[in-house]
Amino acid sequence: MEVEKARCECCGFTEECTPAYIAAVRAEYLGRWVCGLCAEAVGDEIRREDGTLTTAEALDRHVAFARAPRARPRKAAAAAPDDLVAAVARLLRRCLDSPPASPAAPAPPQGRKVADAADA
Ligand SMILES: [Zn+2]
């Protein structure tokens, strides 16, 4: 099957598509090629505005959003890895400290008799 590399104008994602698919997307998005994810986001944008937004406006809006400096979610993104590492470390430590409870753990009943006798 003949495929071409198409690059999303919004997020820069490249995808291998058939020329027919590329042409169809271009026709729908004013000559621009957008990946499926961005196409969906653009569609959402239009729906959110009750159809008053043109495809071009929605595209521009999404491009601006996609290209905006990723400062907004940065704080959360920076915090997440540490939390994740800590969580994994905690999990590992817990596994190492206490091996899964096994049925062999309870003390053998024989020992108890001896202890009782010693107490009495
Ligand atoms: Zn995209």
Side-chain angles (χ1 to χ4, degrees):
M1 194 167 67
E2 192 193 348
V3 291
E4 275 177 36
K5 260 215 173 93
R7 190 166 188 277
C8 176
E9 302 230 359
C10 298
C11 66
F13 179 74
T14 54
E15 209 174 335
E16 290 194 337
C17 308
T18 60
Y21 176 72
I22 293 172
V25 172
R26 284 229 160 99
E28 194 172 346
Y29 294 100
L30 314 147
R32 304 185 191 188
W33 194 87
V34 293
C35 70
L37 221 66
C38 291
E40 201 143 293
V42 169
D44 276 352
E45 200 79 56
I46 293 170
R47 248 168 282 143
R48 206 180 309 153
E49 301 286 331
D50 272 335
T52 56
L53 206 67
T54 64
T55 305
E57 283 168 336
L59 251 177
D60 282 341
R61 203 181 276 198
H62 181 64
V63 170
F65 173 78
R67 290 196 186 153
R70 328 239 148 170
R72 242 173 299 167
R74 203 194 210 140
K75 206 173 164 194
D82 284 346
D83 284 353
L84 193 70
V85 168
V88 170
R90 254 200 315 274
L91 200 72
L92 280 175
R93 224 171 294 139
R94 208 182 308 156
C95 287
L96 292 175
D97 283 352
S98 51
S102 76
Q110 294 99 315
R112 214 156 119 215
K113 236 179 210 163
V114 176
D116 283 346
D119 276 345

